[in-house]
Amino acid sequence: MATFYFVQGFRQKGRKLEPDQPQQHKTAEKAIAAAERIAPSRLGVWAYSADIDVEADTYDEPKLLFRSGTLPPGLAE
């Protein structure tokens, strides 16, 4: 099992939040820094980690590292 770090932003599209493609980073610190950089240009953004077993193709629930703005309901609570 390995820990992966991601950042995902969200933009307003009509009444819906449209997700950006998640971007992978090497460390939690780099993911948080990237999220802080894009936060001013997104309606919402979150950085999270996930423990993933690549061989079994399974993963644990994401762990919130950073959040800013509006996120879809149920995400990063």
Side-chain angles (χ1 to χ4, degrees):
M1 180 119 9
T3 302
F4 292 82
Y5 304 95
F6 300 95
V7 172
Q8 185 173 33
F10 294 87
R11 299 171 191 259
Q12 187 77 41
K13 186 163 188 176
R15 292 184 166 185
K16 298 172 75 178
L17 287 177
E18 183 173 286
D20 294 339
Q21 186 72 13
Q23 300 298 312
Q24 186 175 344
H25 295 273
K26 293 182 186 243
T27 66
E29 293 79 15
K30 288 184 180 188
I32 292 167
E36 290 173 337
R37 270 194 311 277
I38 69 167
S41 65
R42 301 296 190 281
L43 184 63
V45 63
W46 74 317
Y48 61 97
S49 66
D51 293 328
I52 300 172
D53 184 338
V54 177
E55 291 179 14
D57 195 28
T58 60
Y59 55 94
D60 291 342
E61 289 292 318
K63 295 179 183 93
L64 178 66
L65 302 173
F66 173 89
R67 75 175 283 162
S68 176
T70 303
L71 299 177
L75 187 65
E77 291 182 349

